[in-house]
Amino acid sequence: MRTFSRALVATLLGTGLAVGVATPALAKEKPAAAQDTTKLDAKNISKPVRTALIAIETTQKAGDNAGVLTQVRAAEAAGNLNPTDSFYLANSKLAAAQTLKDNAALEEALKTMVDSPFLPAAEKPKFLRNLAALAQQRRDYVAATKYTEQLVALAPEDPDNVLNLAILYSDQNQTAQAIQTFDKAIAAKVATGQPAPESWYRKRLALAFDKKMAAETGTGAAALIAAYPTPENWNLALNITRDGAGTDDQFSLDAFRLMRAAKAIGPEREYQEYANIAIEKGLPGEAKAVLDEGTAAKKLAGKPFEKELYAAANKSIPADKAGLAGLERDAPKSPNGKAALGTGDAFYSYGNYAKAADMYRLALTKAGGVDANTANLRLGASLAMAGDKAGATTAFQAVTSGPRAQLAKYWMAYLAKAA
């Protein structure tokens, strides 16, 4: 069986996601009026700073912003500043730094003001967003994360803030936190009444898959196909699950059956592999049907291997069909469920889903011989294909462990979207 790991992760990670925290316009003059209980009162400015601010204002009016920064730093270096002094000086520094595009000075001013009791609560998210952006520009991702965490704590309903935090965690290999935060970003976006972008789901899935986090990979794949049930995403989710299941051809058969139902079989090699597995498992009718569909979809072009598969299927179909009645008759007499399971597979391969379901039910009544998860999954698949959603759901819910439990979840997602 193929291994998808490296190529698949590269595809998933190529979503163009990056942290991009825009820098909104910041205050250039007086700070906004303080709120409620915290009063910013110019009367509390100390005498030395009041003198400094008068000089700074004159320098500002002259358009000498570099001079303003020099004067502000001199006043700060003098020490003995009270909170009001610090806030007024930082506000003067902020305006000058913006004009000069001096990011170091801008960050100094923002830090002072965001920690001040005088900064209005409504302004704090804007200041934190800018601090995070400035920290990223100088590649201080720890500081950027700290500021973004504070921002999210203030505004957890803003999906863009949460997304930025998720990507910061991801960039620092904090995968578990990144995945949880992507989930929060997706939920926050959906809560706004808008769908979360597909790239968010794919990035979240890629993180889990790359770190071999099986449960989180399954959760992420299921979320992706639930939100964006495209053939490409179905193919991706099922191939990821196949990759995690190892080299079990019987499992691949189950995965391919759902892939076929979702019209999500991908390139030529998948049609070939599916048909080959069906031939090897004694299901020539299914092999021929898959090859026919691949040809009709212009995915197969009659290569020698495909011709061999066609020939093998066509040669076996007459006898296989002729033996179905005998298999159906003899299955109840078998001491275990193997014959019934195999007969169910044969009926399924020819699209006789009602009889396939009967055989899978029979297999489940026999003592031993079959894996209950396999039989229930195939029972659910046959009922789904027959249009019995309720019966199929009951069968899928009985698949409780192993990789087929993930396939059962996918089948239920398929049923939820089916007309």
Side-chain angles (χ1 to χ4, degrees):
M1 181 179 151
R2 292 171 292 143
T3 300
F4 301 91
S5 306
R6 295 302 97 203
L8 183 56
V9 169
T11 298
L12 281 168
L13 290 176
T15 56
L17 271 179
V19 179
V21 185
T23 303
L26 296 170
K28 293 185 179 180
E29 299 177 6
K30 294 181 181 179
Q35 289 183 329
D36 299 332
T37 58
T38 303
K39 302 294 185 181
L40 179 64
D41 192 339
K43 293 178 181 177
N44 294 325
I45 300 173
S46 66
K47 186 175 180 179
V49 171
R50 186 180 302 277
T51 301
L53 287 172
I54 292 170
I56 288 168
E57 184 178 9
T58 300
T59 307
Q60 282 176 327
K61 289 178 179 178
D64 181 5
N65 289 290
V68 168
L69 289 184
T70 300
Q71 289 172 308
V72 168
R73 287 198 169 111
E76 290 173 332
N80 297 316
L81 302 179
N82 65 42
T84 305
D85 294 338
S86 295
F87 192 81
Y88 272 97
L89 288 171
N91 197 46
S92 295
K93 183 189 291 185
L94 181 68
Q98 278 190 294
T99 302
L100 293 170
K101 295 183 169 52
D102 183 334
N103 284 352
L106 182 61
E107 191 166 356
E108 290 171 13
L110 288 167
K111 282 181 181 178
T112 299
M113 297 179 78
V114 84
D115 291 334
S116 170
F118 302 125
L119 183 69
E123 295 293 306
K124 195 167 184 176
K126 179 172 65 176
F127 280 57
L128 286 168
R129 193 174 296 114
N130 279 275
L131 279 167
L134 290 165
Q136 282 180 260
Q137 286 178 20
R138 56 184 174 80
R139 301 182 184 280
D140 185 348
Y141 299 113
V142 173
T145 301
K146 180 188 75 171
Y147 293 129
T148 308
E149 286 173 339
Q150 293 177 41
L151 180 60
V152 168
L154 287 175
E157 73 288 347
D158 186 325
D160 292 330
N161 293 339
V162 185
L163 175 69
N164 285 342
L165 181 58
I167 298 174
L168 282 165
Y169 286 143
S170 171
D171 289 346
Q172 296 170 85
N173 293 316
Q174 298 176 35
T175 305
Q177 285 178 285
I179 288 171
Q180 293 172 5
T181 310
F182 266 109
D183 286 341
K184 291 176 182 177
I186 289 167
K189 187 69 172 180
V190 171
T192 68
Q194 296 178 313
E198 184 178 356
S199 60
W200 297 14
Y201 291 92
R202 281 178 161 259
K203 176 68 173 179
R204 182 245 187 262
L205 173 57
L207 288 170
F209 184 77
D210 190 34
K211 297 298 184 182
K212 297 181 172 57
M213 300 167 70
E216 289 291 359
T217 297
T219 299
L224 175 65
I225 58 176
Y228 292 93
T230 64
E232 179 186 14
N233 286 339
W234 271 108
N235 183 274
L236 177 64
L238 288 164
N239 275 325
I240 283 176
T241 306
R242 287 181 65 209
D243 186 67
T247 57
D248 183 349
D249 281 348
Q250 286 285 0
F251 182 83
S252 283
L253 177 65
D254 288 326
F256 274 131
R257 283 178 167 177
L258 176 52
M259 199 180 291
R260 183 184 176 199
K263 301 185 182 348
I265 303 176
E268 173 187 59
R269 66 179 180 274
E270 291 183 1
Y271 284 95
Q272 293 172 347
E273 185 181 3
Y274 185 0
N276 188 54
I277 289 172
I279 291 287
E280 290 180 348
K281 301 306 175 189
L283 304 170
E286 192 162 354
K288 183 179 183 303
V290 168
L291 291 168
D292 286 342
E293 289 170 11
T295 301
K298 300 187 183 335
K299 298 285 185 70
L300 300 178
K303 291 182 178 178
F305 180 51
E306 294 156 18
K307 291 179 180 179
E308 290 175 15
L309 292 172
Y310 257 124
N314 287 326
K315 180 179 179 181
S316 301
I317 284 173
D320 189 56
K321 279 186 173 180
L324 283 175
L327 292 173
E328 184 181 12
R329 182 181 61 250
D330 294 340
K333 304 172 187 176
S334 176
N336 58 47
K338 287 183 179 179
L341 185 71
T343 304
D345 290 342
F347 278 121
Y348 190 107
S349 74
Y350 289 108
N352 192 334
Y353 302 118
K355 286 197 173 184
D358 289 342
M359 288 294 104
Y360 292 135
R361 288 192 185 98
L362 176 62
L364 286 164
T365 67
K366 297 284 186 176
V370 298
D371 171 59
N373 286 314
T374 300
N376 274 308
L377 182 75
R378 294 182 182 179
L379 171 60
S382 60
L383 292 171
M385 297 305 292
D388 182 357
K389 287 188 179 183
T393 298
T394 299
F396 291 136
Q397 288 172 339
V399 184
T400 56
S401 63
R404 284 183 172 83
Q406 187 64 45
L407 284 186
K409 291 178 183 176
Y410 291 156
W411 267 109
M412 286 189 279
Y414 169 79
L415 287 175
K417 297 292 183 180

